Amino acid sequence: MDHAADAHRTDLMTITRFVLNEQSKYPESRGDFTILLSHIVLGCKFVCTSVNKAGLAKLIGLAGETNIQGEEQKKLDVLSNEVFIKALVSSGRTRVLVSEEDENAIFVESSKRGRYCVVFDPLDGSSNIDCGVSIGTIFGIYMVKDDHEPTLDDVLQPGKQMVAAGYCMYGSSCTLVLSTGTGVNGFTLDPSLGEFILTHPDIKIPKKGKIYSVNEGNAKNWDAPTAAYVEKCKFPKDGSSSKSLRYIGSMVADVHRTLLYGGTFMYPADKKNPNGKLRVLYEVFPMSFLIEKAGGQAFTGKQRALDLVPTKIHERSPVFLGSYDEIEEIKALYAAEGQKK
């Protein structure tokens, strides 16, 4: 990449321009989705700035409250949640909001109501704030086709019904990865312009990968297929090289690396967490959506992840996501285990 030439480019593809270009392909479009996305982008910019100065602003102390998951909330969690709720409601395009930080769904008042339901984790990986590890925001968007009083059924839908999903990673750079249903694109925030610029067009996950990502501290509680796959990663019997273990513990960062370099990200069920640990609506679904749109697969150990039908807004599920061929191997191991039973 010629950075010197890039510094003088005036035809940069900003996320706003990109989304407007996409919108122009649909003459019937009213621009509602574009407006909603611009509010999400604004929220991401705000949180990015707050994360960057967290230490200075003493935002890394505990807020002193516990969220619905029983996790202590950091001040940044609380701030990020408020920022996104206000940004989404003020867009005038949302109907139901589900946040990891709130026990109940938020039903937008009728005067500000729109056609979209947004599920989001305002600050994923927040336990890593203090040590400077990449953290991020994850979101998924559903569209409600008819005008009715909003209910939980509007968001308790399979992930395959989502119209868009994405995440924003706050790390060495601020990167927003988005899919509106056709392809996956990555945008990086240029602080001098205050704009997200298209830097990773049409991301395709490699069909195979050399990295696996899992918390091996839980290995003693894994089921046989998970243990067998990890054993194969470390001690391949076909003469190939061992895979490298990379585990950050921040889902956004781990999935981002998997998306770009290939491999697998796993958070399997185990004896302690038979239903898995990651939340279906605002973690498993958006990430599975992105991985599939980039040519990978997402699997729960029983079925395609995006086929799950959640019954509660904070429901959990195991997930294996990543390169197509790697997930095929995991599916084969689970199928073989099923035949034994």
Side-chain angles (χ1 to χ4, degrees):
M1 184 180 284
D2 188 342
H3 292 287
D6 272 1
H8 299 287
R9 283 178 60 195
T10 54
D11 63 338
L12 294 171
M13 178 63 79
T14 67
I15 192 165
T16 307
R17 182 176 156 199
F18 180 86
V19 173
L20 286 171
N21 283 356
E22 289 297 302
Q23 182 189 318
S24 67
K25 297 174 185 175
Y26 303 93
E28 72 283 4
S29 173
R30 303 187 309 200
D32 286 358
F33 181 76
T34 305
I35 292 167
L36 172 62
L37 204 59
S38 70
H39 280 71
I40 291 174
V41 167
L42 180 62
C44 291
K45 289 178 185 175
F46 190 101
V47 173
C48 178
T49 303
S50 300
V51 167
N52 287 342
K53 63 185 182 187
L56 293 171
K58 297 195 186 314
L59 289 169
I60 57 177
L62 291 173
E65 294 180 14
T66 301
N67 70 4
I68 182 61
Q69 312 302 334
E71 300 159 342
E72 287 184 308
Q73 287 180 297
K74 300 276 185 175
K75 288 182 181 177
L76 263 177
D77 286 21
V78 179
L79 176 69
S80 305
N81 195 39
E82 288 177 359
V83 163
F84 278 103
I85 289 170
K86 286 176 180 172
L88 292 165
V89 172
S90 66
S91 72
R93 301 299 184 275
T94 55
R95 176 177 292 254
V96 185
L97 308 179
V98 173
S99 166
E100 186 208 19
E101 300 297 333
D102 294 322
E103 182 174 0
N104 300 311
I106 296 167
F107 296 99
V108 179
E109 60 183 275
S110 55
S111 61
K112 296 178 180 174
R113 199 175 290 162
R115 297 190 296 166
Y116 293 98
C117 302
V118 184
V119 293
F120 61 100
D121 183 345
L123 206 60
D124 177 73
S126 53
S127 61
N128 289 313
I129 292 169
D130 294 4
C131 58
V133 169
S134 295
I135 53 181
T137 299
I138 308 172
F139 61 91
I141 303 172
Y142 291 101
M143 188 173 78
V144 179
K145 292 191 169 67
D146 53 9
D147 195 21
H148 59 263
E149 274 302 302
T151 68
L152 280 183
D153 289 340
D154 293 330
V155 289
L156 293 177
Q157 300 185 58
K160 63 187 176 186
Q161 303 290 358
M162 282 183 171
V163 294
Y167 60 82
C168 189
M169 184 176 70
Y170 314 112
S172 54
S173 59
C174 181
T175 305
L176 195 153
V177 174
L178 174 72
S179 175
T180 56
T182 50
V184 179
N185 293 279
F187 304 82
T188 303
L189 183 63
D190 183 335
S192 62
L193 296 174
E195 287 279 6
F196 279 100
I197 308 298
L198 180 63
T199 51
H200 297 77
D202 197 21
I203 297 169
K204 297 290 185 197
I205 186 170
K207 279 203 79 176
K208 285 184 76 67
K210 296 178 180 175
I211 295 171
Y212 71 102
S213 184
V214 66
N215 183 354
E216 288 215 46
N218 296 327
K220 68 176 183 180
N221 295 313
W222 286 343
D223 60 18
T226 302
Y229 177 76
V230 172
E231 184 74 5
K232 192 175 177 184
C233 289
K234 294 198 277 193
F235 305 104
K237 292 177 180 170
D238 59 1
S240 60
S241 300
S242 301
K243 296 186 191 298
S244 298
L245 169 65
R246 297 283 185 273
Y247 185 68
I248 298 165
S250 173
M251 189 187 190
V252 168
D254 280 315
V255 171
H256 186 66
R257 182 201 55 249
T258 305
L259 193 60
L260 296 183
Y261 301 158
T264 48
F265 169 81
M266 301 175 276
Y267 214 117
D270 57 36
K271 291 171 189 168
K272 279 170 52 184
N273 300 289
N275 296 319
K277 233 183 151 189
L278 296 178
R279 273 68 64 144
V280 172
L281 272 183
Y282 41 78
E283 290 175 330
V284 173
F285 278 172
M287 292 309 201
S288 299
F289 187 92
L290 290 166
I291 289 286
E292 280 201 7
K293 296 301 178 186
Q297 293 193 82
F299 179 60
T300 67
K302 294 179 179 175
Q303 64 183 117
R304 176 191 177 204
L306 291 178
D307 286 340
L308 275 174
V309 183
T311 56
K312 302 191 295 284
I313 60 172
H314 297 295
E315 191 168 313
R316 299 172 188 259
S317 170
V319 71
F320 301 82
L321 48 82
S323 296
Y324 190 94
D325 289 354
E326 303 295 339
I327 303 302
E328 279 295 300
E329 278 191 42
I330 293 171
K331 285 161 78 172
L333 288 167
Y334 272 96
E337 182 72 10
Q339 285 170 4
K340 288 181 193 173
K341 293 174 182 176

